[in-house]
């Protein structure tokens, strides 16, 4: 798909109901797509079955529809895309770009190289495993290079990372057979023809890895926009782990208006007294992505 055609997406993980942090991403990605006369798709990122909460997918889709965010096409579920992820691994393997790793977490920690922020995998298994490892659990890692990945984020500006020095060879399939987020998101974004990715700042550090995989697999690189995160009073990202309050389906307009204000827009107070249709008409007519603040901020959970 040519990059002149805008196609964006919202890709929640079904680990619980949506909260205000996820609403920020949904609203921003939706408005970016609609104001560019593009498509907005929904993908349920349930590739990690160990984290899925039953019925969460249905709740998420119901919330989006109740808040007036209608998506294009069919909803895609990563749990139904395993054959595509395996095909990508086979392509990388054919080119000698992945290898099995039997290191335990303890072994990885003990042999890791430290950079300024986090331990980096040492590459212990990169040159082959000794003996017969066929019966031993193993991950599949991709070989990285010292070359620097650079891109310009539409909000955060220029970003660069040397994947090998700062991350190391990273896992594409876990020892339990589950494909990782890094692989699944790259394969799915390419398959769905995504041209623009709008998501939270917590994923900014993952983007160079994903661009690296895109290059290895011959995929186009979309335009990225990483949004500020909604944090609680302790400065923690809103999440299930920090006990974020689920979105209140009975009060969509106050939450939508608060979300626009968090995103640097200036909706009039009277929108709260209107209806969903009027809200989206105003939002699409007045959306200005360049007004989105860069930094993470607190937002009242209303």
């Amino acid at each position: 798909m040519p990059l002149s055609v805008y196609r964006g997406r919202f890709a929640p993980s079904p680990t619980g109901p949506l909260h205000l942090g996820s609403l920020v991403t949904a609203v921003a990605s939706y408005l970016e797509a609609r104001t560019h006369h593009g498509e907005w798709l929904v993908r349920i990122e349930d590739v990690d079955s160990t984290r899925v909460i039953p019925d969460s997918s249905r709740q998420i889709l119901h919330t989006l529809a109740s808040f007036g965010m209608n998506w294009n096409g069919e909803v895609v579920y990563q749990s139904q895309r395993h054959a595509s992820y395996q095909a990508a691994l086979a392509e990388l393997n054919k080119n000698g770009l992945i290898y099995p790793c039997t290191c335990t977490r303890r072994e990885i920690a003990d042999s890791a190289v430290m950079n300024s922020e986090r331990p980096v995998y040492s590459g212990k298994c990169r040159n082959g495993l000794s003996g017969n490892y066929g019966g031993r659990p193993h991950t599949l890692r991709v070989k990285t290079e010292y070359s620097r990945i650079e891109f310009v984020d539409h909000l955060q500006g220029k970003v660069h990372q040397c994947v090998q020095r700062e991350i190391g060879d990273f896992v594409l399939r876990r020892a339990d057979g589950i494909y990782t987020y890094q692989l699944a998101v790259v394969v799915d974004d390419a398959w769905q023809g995504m041209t623009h990715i709008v998501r939270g700042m917590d994923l900014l550090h993952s983007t160079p890895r994903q661009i690296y995989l895109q290059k290895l697999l011959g995929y186009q690189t979309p335009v990225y926009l990483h949004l500020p995160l909604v944090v609680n009073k302790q400065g923690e990202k809103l999440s299930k782990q920090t006990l974020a309050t689920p979105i209140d389906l009975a009060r969509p307009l106050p939450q939508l208006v608060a979300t626009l204000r968090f995103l640097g827009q200036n909706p009039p107070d009277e929108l709260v007294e209107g209806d969903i249709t009027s809200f989206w008409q105003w939002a699409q007519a007045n959306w200005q992505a360049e007004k989105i603040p860069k930094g993470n901020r607190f937002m009242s959970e209303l």
Side-chain angles (χ1 to χ4, degrees):
M1 177 172 294
L3 288 178
S4 58
V5 177
Y6 191 106
R7 177 174 277 201
R9 47 75 162 175
F10 177 57
S13 297
T15 56
L18 296 181
H19 50 73
L20 287 178
S22 40
L23 183 62
V24 165
T25 301
V27 168
S29 61
Y30 182 82
L31 285 171
E32 274 289 278
R34 295 306 187 218
T35 55
H36 285 88
H37 309 289
E39 294 181 307
W40 186 72
L41 285 70
V42 173
R43 182 171 70 227
I44 300 296
E45 297 199 332
D46 58 349
V47 67
D48 186 351
S49 57
T50 65
R51 298 179 61 238
V52 171
I53 302 298
D55 203 40
S56 287
S57 296
R58 184 197 62 79
Q59 292 178 5
I60 288 169
L61 297 176
H62 177 65
T63 299
L64 294 175
S66 298
F67 277 56
M69 286 177 276
N70 300 310
W71 53 88
N72 297 99
E74 297 295 322
V75 175
V76 169
Y77 294 81
Q78 286 186 331
S79 56
Q80 300 172 6
R81 299 267 304 142
H82 290 180
S84 296
Y85 310 144
Q86 185 56 42
L89 285 179
E91 179 69 17
L92 293 170
N93 186 55
K94 182 178 70 174
N95 294 317
L97 296 170
I98 59 174
Y99 62 90
C101 172
T102 59
C103 292
T104 64
R105 289 186 179 182
R106 178 64 179 268
E107 289 172 332
I108 292 170
D110 288 345
S111 63
V113 178
M114 291 299 298
N115 67 12
S116 60
E117 295 184 5
R118 55 182 58 80
V120 175
Y121 177 64
S122 66
K124 179 179 178 182
C125 296
R126 184 184 247 245
N127 295 320
L129 299 171
S130 59
N132 179 18
Y133 70 90
R136 297 168 60 191
H138 61 274
T139 63
L140 289 178
R141 292 182 181 270
V142 63
K143 295 179 180 179
T144 55
E145 300 175 351
Y146 274 113
S147 57
R148 192 161 80 161
I149 297 292
E150 294 185 353
F151 70 99
V152 178
D153 184 85
H154 194 60
L155 179 63
Q156 304 299 332
K158 185 177 290 187
V159 178
H160 58 82
Q161 183 184 89
C162 177
V163 178
Q164 188 171 100
R165 186 177 66 246
E166 299 180 47
I167 302 295
D169 298 346
F170 55 95
V171 174
L172 300 183
R173 194 182 70 194
R174 297 180 351 196
D176 59 6
I178 290 178
Y179 301 97
T180 66
Y181 165 76
Q182 305 296 352
L183 176 67
V185 72
V186 165
V187 171
D188 288 339
D189 282 342
W191 173 66
Q192 291 186 287
M194 295 301 167
T195 63
H196 292 72
I197 307 299
V198 178
R199 59 190 184 186
M201 268 286 292
D202 53 328
L203 293 170
L204 182 64
H205 194 259
S206 291
T207 304
R209 271 172 279 176
Q210 293 166 22
I211 293 175
Y212 179 72
L213 279 180
Q214 290 160 5
K215 293 179 183 297
L216 294 184
L217 291 165
Y219 299 158
Q220 289 185 316
T221 294
V223 176
Y224 289 96
L225 190 160
H226 286 85
L227 300 163
L229 301 179
V230 182
V231 298
N232 59 23
K233 291 181 178 179
Q234 290 73 44
E236 303 167 318
K237 173 194 169 187
L238 291 190
S239 66
K240 179 183 175 184
Q241 288 71 32
T242 58
L243 305 178
T245 303
I247 288 172
D248 184 355
L249 293 180
R251 302 174 62 246
L253 286 171
Q255 293 164 104
L256 286 169
V257 169
T259 296
L260 275 191
R261 289 177 176 152
F262 178 87
L263 288 165
Q265 314 303 302
N266 189 31
D269 292 340
E270 53 266 27
L271 279 183
V272 176
E273 306 302 327
D275 55 33
I276 293 290
T277 300
S278 298
F279 170 84
W280 286 115
Q281 287 174 345
W282 187 93
Q284 291 184 46
N286 294 276
W287 174 250
Q288 298 180 68
E290 62 273 16
K291 289 188 174 182
I292 302 173
K294 292 184 178 182
N296 303 337
R297 303 193 322 286
F298 171 72
M299 178 180 176
S300 170
E301 298 199 29
L302 303 174

